[in-house]
Amino acid sequence: MLSSIQIEKSVEYLQAQGFDAPEIGIVLGTGLGKLVDSIENPLLAHYNQIPSFPLATVEFHSGKLIYGNLGGKKVVVMQGRFHLYEGYDFIDITYPIRVMHALGITKLLVSNAAGAINLDMKKGDMMLIDDHINLQGGSPLAFKGVSEFGERFTDMSAPYDKKMNGILKELAKEKGVPLHEGVYASVVGPQLETRAEYRMLKIMGADAVGMSTVPEVIVANHLGLPVIAVSVLTDECDPDNLEPVNVPEIIEIAGKAEPLMVDLFKGLIERL
Ligand code: HPA
């Protein structure tokens, strides 16, 4: 069960490390870690050092929170996120969002790597998430005592912030960066989808599929925290010509799109 005392302990530790009143929280997805190189005067806190944080797995020892200045604002960045497929539960994977909110953030920017279901979208393109479908079989709000933290029956009629979306679209246009807009479906993973599952996702109305983001966005909505999310499309999920998954290629393609995403996020922060 989640307790506010836990969150306070994490917050006290981070404040003592100098994480002073960040305005914006950022979650970086697979292959999208370079944004942190643009942060001025960075302070680091490894997840393993933060009291009450979910215990990081061995493969995930590099996860950290980074605090500093970006685009003229104080930001806190999650380099590495927690996934259900690593064996964490919904409360664990969204805990850092609650901590960043308790530190003071008033906006959340999220990124991820995703597969393109809509085949008008190509590998390496970016997609602004306009809406989502939760296929992870649970909710980060389904726990005893949730009302202590916010409205249990959280409204999801507009889960992504229209104002930030508008700014990002304007920026993309100005910079000549193609930016699709669409629906993201979240699955648990870690196995990739079958051809039949990709067909199902398309029929359902998904434009992209991935293994993260939706629980974080639900919690942001629970906290009344405006959120924006962008996918980098790393593979084309064509059920009629499906190629075996190539994880190194997924990471490589995310890495290639990364400078564009960093540029858009920086520009957005400057205008917030
Ligand atoms: N499916 C699920 N998650 C993903 C994919 C995919 O095709 N590509 C990148 N993350």
Side-chain angles (χ1 to χ4, degrees):
M1 207 184 99
L2 187 66
S3 86
S4 47
I5 296 166
Q6 252 178 307
I7 295 174
E8 272 165 36
K9 279 191 184 148
S10 300
V11 167
E12 273 169 24
Y13 171 85
L14 290 165
Q15 284 172 337
Q17 301 299 308
F19 284 52
D20 175 40
E23 302 159 81
I24 295 168
I26 305 172
V27 184
L28 296 177
T30 305
L32 301 168
K34 284 236 179 66
L35 181 99
V36 298
D37 298 342
S38 308
I39 296 176
E40 297 154 35
N41 306 319
L43 299 173
L44 306 187
H46 287 269
Y47 294 158
N48 283 342
Q49 298 167 333
I50 307 171
S52 313
F53 241 61
L55 276 183
T57 54
V58 177
E59 65 204 284
F60 192 49
H61 63 277
S62 64
K64 47 186 163 321
L65 280 186
I66 298 151
Y67 170 89
N69 282 288
L70 183 70
K73 305 256 179 356
K74 291 190 268 186
V75 301
V76 58
V77 180
M78 281 180 74
Q79 190 176 31
R81 56 151 61 89
F82 296 94
H83 298 91
L84 289 173
Y85 65 69
E86 293 165 295
Y88 299 106
D89 65 25
F90 278 102
I91 293 181
D92 289 337
I93 61 175
T94 51
Y95 183 78
I97 308 296
R98 295 190 181 278
V99 169
M100 290 193 289
H101 176 256
L103 277 170
I105 64 164
T106 56
K107 298 201 168 53
L108 181 68
L109 281 48
V110 181
S111 64
N112 63 49
I117 300 291
N118 180 339
L119 298 175
D120 294 336
M121 303 181 184
K122 303 293 174 203
K123 272 185 207 181
D125 288 356
M126 286 187 288
M127 185 188 92
L128 176 63
I129 302 181
D130 166 57
D131 207 344
H132 70 227
I133 302 174
N134 177 12
L135 295 174
Q136 293 186 316
S139 165
L141 306 185
F143 64 91
K144 281 183 194 155
V146 67
S147 314
E148 192 193 322
F149 298 92
E151 167 62 41
R152 180 189 296 269
F153 301 104
T154 295
D155 178 63
M156 293 297 276
S157 59
Y160 298 87
D161 188 63
K162 283 209 170 66
K163 192 163 155 241
M164 280 197 283
N165 282 2
I167 298 172
L168 201 80
K169 284 192 273 186
E170 223 173 79
L171 263 170
K173 213 188 237 175
E174 283 170 28
K175 292 175 185 285
V177 175
L179 181 66
H180 302 287
E181 204 172 343
V183 174
Y184 173 93
S186 66
V187 295
V188 175
Q191 75 284 357
L192 278 287
E193 289 69 39
T194 63
R195 289 164 296 163
E197 286 165 341
Y198 284 134
R199 285 192 190 100
M200 173 195 74
L201 288 164
K202 187 170 190 145
I203 292 166
M204 281 180 155
D207 295 294
V209 58
M211 304 174 190
S212 67
T213 302
V214 168
E216 294 151 358
V217 169
I218 293 172
V219 165
N221 277 267
H222 186 233
L223 296 166
L225 185 59
V227 57
I228 188 169
V230 176
S231 291
V232 171
L233 304 170
T234 53
D235 52 312
E236 292 163 21
C237 308
D238 179 357
D240 299 322
N241 297 287
L242 192 59
E243 296 187 5
V245 64
N246 183 339
V247 174
E249 193 194 340
I250 285 181
I251 293 170
E252 186 193 323
I253 291 180
K256 275 193 192 147
E258 182 172 42
L260 292 176
M261 213 209 62
V262 169
D263 203 38
L264 283 186
F265 271 14
K266 254 202 226 169
L268 172 64
I269 291 168
E270 278 164 14
R271 291 189 190 183
L272 288 179

